[in-house]
Amino acid sequence: QQQVKQSPQSLIVQKGGISIINCAYENTAFDYFPWYQQFPGKGPALLIAIRPDVSEKKEGRFTISFNKSAKQFSLHIMDSQPGDSATYFCAASTGGGNKLTFGTGTQLKVEL
Amino acid sequence: DGGITQSPKYLFRKEGQNVTLSCEQNLNHDAMYWYRQDPGQGLRLIYYSQIVNDFQKGDIAEGYSVSREKKESFPLTVTSAQKNPTAFYLCASSIRQVRVQRDEKLFFGSGTQLSVL
């Protein structure tokens, strides 16, 4: 049973455009929602994270939007750059804890 | 230079063979994890350990075994019972915090690609 559903599976965006990746969860006990970025042949690295007491968190060009009632959260990458081309994973856990449930990943390609 | 070291980067397993993947960290983290990554399936938790000499099964532990004899090391053995071992294996660690309202960042190694001959 997949508890975190992620879409789209792949995404192509023009340089300077906005990349949007969506995730939906089922477990209402989840209270910590990080996004990880993974480059080919490397392990994922934490990009940005949010807790459900806020609806939005912004760090540079990266923004998480969180909709608790809809049980959805999304990653927005503003002014997308070729260097942002990577696979992005959303995740969720309970108790702000470390046992994360990951989404299936979105492969982003930013074209010139 | 602090971090997580996984070795080898590439590993081949013969039919009926057990193989062990190494994971070492010098971040002084208490918790360590093993994830399996398959195309289109994201990361799935195999085993995790929050303290030395203790570990718990994750979502897909069958066919795998681990040990945690030292804080720095968390090796994963892929046994012959694992019928579909071809995957990218990722080791991670995090600080084990006991207070609530904490956000635990996972630090990942660079992975081991295991293939079956």
Side-chain angles (χ1 to χ4, degrees), chain B residues 11-98:
Chain B
L11 186 59
F12 297 91
R13 194 192 88 166
K14 295 180 181 179
E15 202 72 36
Q17 184 183 43
N18 293 353
V19 292
T20 297
L21 284 62
S22 171
C23 178
E24 303 278 333
Q25 56 101 356
N26 60 6
L27 299 168
N28 199 33
H29 286 171
D30 289 302
M32 297 187 74
Y33 316 79
W34 276 103
Y35 283 88
R36 170 178 170 144
Q37 184 174 11
D38 296 277
Q41 294 195 46
L43 282 72
R44 292 180 291 167
L45 183 63
I46 305 172
Y47 269 99
Y48 65 104
S49 167
Q50 299 203 46
I51 197 167
V52 174
N53 292 322
D54 186 48
F55 48 83
Q56 288 78 42
K57 293 181 179 180
D59 300 318
I60 55 166
E62 186 176 349
Y64 301 97
S65 66
V66 294
S67 63
R68 186 85 188 277
E69 297 177 359
K70 298 186 301 181
K71 186 175 183 178
E72 302 79 19
S73 179
F74 191 41
L76 173 74
T77 296
V78 183
T79 74
S80 57
Q82 174 49 246
K83 298 306 179 186
N84 184 23
T86 297
F88 189 53
Y89 290 86
L90 286 159
C91 178
S93 71
S94 70
I95 297 171
R96 177 173 173 250
Q97 299 182 20
V98 296

Side-chain angles (χ1 to χ4, degrees), chain A residues 39-58:
Chain A
F39 293 103
K42 302 294 184 183
L46 180 66
L47 188 63
I48 187 173
I50 197 169
R51 298 188 64 85
D53 51 347
V54 296
S55 60
E56 186 175 282
K57 183 174 182 180
K58 184 176 181 179

Side-chain angles (χ1 to χ4, degrees), chain A residues 19-88:
Chain A
S19 303
I20 302 174
I21 304 170
N22 301 300
C23 284
Y25 62 96
E26 299 165 5
N27 187 350
T28 55
F30 286 147
D31 62 358
Y32 175 60
F33 303 90
W35 284 88
Y36 279 79
Q37 179 189 53
Q38 183 182 31
F39 293 103
K42 302 294 184 183
L46 180 66
L47 188 63
I48 187 173
I50 197 169
R51 298 188 64 85
D53 51 347
V54 296
S55 60
E56 186 175 282
K57 183 174 182 180
K58 184 176 181 179
E59 290 184 3
R61 296 184 294 108
F62 301 92
T63 300
I64 299 179
S65 297
F66 185 81
N67 186 329
K68 188 174 182 179
S69 61
K71 294 187 286 184
Q72 295 176 348
F73 59 110
S74 60
L75 175 69
H76 295 234
I77 306 174
M78 311 300 287
D79 187 27
S80 298
Q81 299 297 313
D84 296 330
S85 298
T87 300
Y88 293 81

